[in-house]
Every structure is written in structure tokens, then in C-alpha cells.
Amino acid sequence: MPTSAVFTGLDWHPVHDARELVAYPFMQHALAAGTIVAVTAGVVGWFMVLRRQSFAGHTLSLTAFTGASAAGLAGVPVIAGYYLACGAGAVALAAASGSRRSLSRESAATGSVQALALALGFLFISLYHGLLSDLDSLLFGTFLGVTRDQVLVLLLVAAPTLALVAVAARPLLYASVDPDVAGAAGIRVRLLGLGFLLVLGISVAETAQITGALLVFALLVTPAAAAHRITARPVAGVAVSVALALAVTWTGLALAYFSVYPVGFWITSVAFAVYVVARAAT
Amino acid sequence: MSAVELRDAEARVGGRTVWRDVSVTVERGAFVAVLGPNGAGKSTLVRAVLGLQPLAAGRASILGRPPGGANGRIGYLPQRRSFDPSTRIRGVDVVRLGLDGARFGVPLPGRRSRAAAARVAETIDLVGAGHYAARPIGELSGGEQQRLLIAQALVREPQLLLLDEPLDSLDLPNQIGVAALIRRICRERDVAVMLVAHDVNPIISYLDGVIYLAGGTAVEGRPEDVISTEALTALYGVPVEVLHASDGRLVVVGAPDLHGHHAH
């Protein structure tokens, strides 16, 4: 396919194209939602990579799919399904992984939760004889039809979540790199671990609304993993992670707007390119 | 007031008595090694001092408080800790966590933050880790990591330092170097040190005292008095011989559930 056939909406004039990108309300909402999601995913993803809980993040993203399909079946808003299922998934993972003393036991427990979540999601989809085209956007994301209310909910959930992470940042960092000594210093390591999984669940529920359940990782893991390679300074690392997540989201949304390819594909591809460059350069 | 005082203490783990009738004293500013065969309860003793292992019997006073009551004045380095090579956090950050890592809230730049950074830098200089503290800790050698972890335990200027096998993963020159460092800190900062060791030989010349756990109890005293044929035979309850090798090393022979060839 020639370039002009992929990027059907592009004028190849930067100022004109940028103006066009923010001209319509639906695109303004998508950009606002993407910005909120990218900041959340960048911050929480940095801690997730540090704690080696990418597998837990992946499991929660499949739980988001379960929640969305259950919500469809029950006739409640899909967004409620995302948040409820990811919260329940976080509690289940915390209970299953226990004290995190053995990473192999933890990953086995996480895998079991993941398989169950996926099976339940499949069951709900089978029972739900609605429009199957919804399944596509549940799994792979969409930026069409993000409403003003949805942006508001994203913001109302993200702001306190990020405030919580900021307040607990030092104990969380301590418990993540050095749980034994952190425990002796009076930090309640297991409680903090459960709290982090809940924050991770919320972040997944937010991210899934833009990228879809299967492509949550593009924003949650890839910018954070690249940031860890670029700098070993904690504050700078979080900042780089957020900056990369924002760049990936905005670029992905713009490419999706001007092209015939879906947003999930673009965000994931841009994120992957960022990671490859970070690996090659460091 | 002694740094650590245990009287007739008993510890039970999972219903089994690990040791009993343990009465030991560690004076302020003293460097004491905790020795004994595997499973004698050396780490249990450290955990009891921290209040993480409740005593089944006896009394304990740690820096004048019950166990757990003075942990803010104790620096602790747990057993066998090395960072995964992929841990991308700088050494200086790990030391900083020892200072204010348990505190909630957002640290703001300012005078307090600068004072904290200065304290961290000073402690890193004290352990001689200045030239590698800015590198990710996972990339450092075992000896380098150990020095930074000692700095982390020291950064709050504790009065008691509990080090659980800090020399275990190090080669001999590094064992001696770290032991010399601990001795120097002990003297300069008047910090009491309890160091759990597997092999006393590299550090024996630095020690003020020894606590030897075996046979379900413990003896304490000066190193040359405790690591003797008479004292260890009485402790183990079976004939044990302490040999003086020609290079000055002490070798314990005949101790039950010990590897006969292993030096203690």
C-alpha cells in the first residue's frame, strides 16, 4: 500500500496538520484521555518494572477484558467492569503471591489467576450475544467515542491514585529494592505490596480504555523499561518514563487519526521503536 | 547501659527450642562476632535483638529498651543479600533509603534535603565507596555492594550495628578490608557491632569479643578464651579440639554437625 493510501488524512504540512488534529471534540477528548492515561502508566509502570511485576500487570490487563465482558453481559457500563475486575484481580494476585519470597511460586500463582480470568472472559463473551465488533475495541483499543464524561472519570481516578503513589514513593521504593531491611525499618511491606497491586489494577483499567486490554503493555511496560535503561536515578527515571509514554501516546493518536490503521497498532509500534532505540543507545 | 543485654534468654522457632539459658552482653563500642555451626541460631539471635523473634523466656535490654523498642537506633544488614544485576537503582539511592526511605510524604528540595544528601555523601566516603556509588547497584561487585549496604545501615548514625554474615560472599582480601572498616567505624563512632560470621579467622584480630552458639546455648568472652579446646568441649558436650595452624589460623576439630575440615 503506498504511503498516501495509509495516511489518507495527512496534508504533509505540520502546522496545518496539527491544527486539524485538535479541531474536533472527539479528538480533543481522545488526546486528553491519552494524556491522563500516559502519565498514570508512565509513573506506575516505572515501579512495576522495578518490582519485576510485569507478569502481574499482564494478568491484570486480561482481568480488564474479563471485567469488560462481564459488564457487557450484566448490562452495566464497560468502564465500571474495568475498574471492578482490575481491583478484584489485584486482591486475588496479592493473596496468591503471598510474601513474594519466591518469584517462581509467585509467577505460577499469577499464571493461574491469569488463566482463570481469561476463561471467565471467554465465558461471558460466549453468553453475551451482542455486537461482536465491540470485542475488537475491548481487546485492541479505540480512540473514537471517548466522551467528556469518560475523560472526567479518568481524571478523577488518576489524580488521587498518583497522589497516593507520590506520598508513598519512598517506602514503596524501599520495599521494592530491599524488602527485608524495609521491614526491619518499620515499613509494612506486604500491605504496601497489596496497595501497589491495587494502584496497578487501577492503572490497567485506565490504560485499557485507550489501548484495549491486550495492548495495555505498550504504555505500561515499554516506556518504563526504556526509562530504566536510560537512567538509574529514581526521580529522573519516573520523569523519563512519563515523557516517553506521553510521546508514544500522542504520536500514536496522531498517526491513527491521519491513517487507516488502528490506534492500538500505532501506539504499540511507536512504543516498541522507542524501546529498541533505548536498548541500542544504552 | 550496655548496647545488648540478654539474661537466661530462650528462643523457640516452630515449637523447637533453638537456644536457651543464653546470657550475653555487648558493651557500647564493642566489636563482637557471633559464631557457631549452621543451625545453631545465629540469625535467630540477631532477629531476637531486633524484636522480630520474640523470646520464649528470659529478659532482654537493647540500648536500654525492650527488643524492637530501639530499632530506630539500630543499623541492620540481613543475611546474604545481593542485588539482581538488572536492578537499575544507584548505590547512592540505596544508601539514601536507609536515611529516610521509611518516611511517607513527598520530599521537597530545600535545606533538609541538602543536609540529607550531605549525610549520605559523608557516609559513602566513610566506607570508601565514593567512586562507584553513582553506578547502578546491580552492576557492582559483591564487595562494593556490601560496603554500600554497610553505609545504608550506618547512615542514620545508629548506636548498634547488626550484620548477618556480611563477609560470606566476599573473597579473602575483601573480608579483611570490610572487617577493618567495621572495626574503624566501631572505634570512631562508638558503635557496638554484632557480626555473624561463618569463619572467624579473617576477622579475629579485630574483635573485642565472641559469642559462640552451639549445643543449644551460648558462651561469650574474649576470642582466645572462647575458641579454646576447654571452652568449646564444655559447650558442645563432646570432646572438641582447637588447633593452632602454623599460619595462625584456628581450626575446630571434632565438633558435631560441623564439617570437620572447616575452620571456625
Side-chain angles (χ1 to χ4, degrees), chain A residues 120-199:
Chain A
L120 285 175
F122 180 55
L123 173 70
F124 298 147
I125 286 287
S126 317
L127 293 174
Y128 178 56
H129 301 292
L131 283 172
L132 264 184
S133 65
D134 285 353
L135 185 60
D136 263 8
S137 45
L138 279 188
L139 293 178
F140 299 107
T142 178
F143 64 107
L144 299 170
V146 177
T147 62
R148 198 188 175 80
D149 285 351
Q150 196 179 346
V151 172
L152 205 61
V153 171
L154 280 173
L155 188 63
L156 285 175
V157 174
T161 305
L162 289 175
L164 203 64
V165 172
V167 165
R170 285 183 292 181
L172 182 60
L173 185 64
Y174 207 172
S176 301
V177 299
D178 212 348
D180 286 340
V181 180
I187 295 172
R188 300 179 66 181
V189 176
R190 283 188 73 162
L191 192 64
L192 210 54
L194 168 65
F196 180 72
L197 278 173
L198 283 169
V199 164

Side-chain angles (χ1 to χ4, degrees), chain B residues 92-141:
Chain B
V92 60
D93 299 314
V94 172
V95 177
R96 175 68 186 259
L97 285 173
L99 184 63
D100 56 11
R103 225 174 270 162
F104 284 82
V106 183
L108 298 171
R111 204 154 48 92
R112 268 183 67 180
S113 174
R114 280 197 300 276
R119 171 92 77 87
V120 168
E122 183 210 4
T123 315
I124 287 171
D125 282 344
L126 179 72
V127 302
H131 56 289
Y132 49 78
R135 285 171 48 200
I137 190 132
E139 292 175 6
L140 301 177
S141 74

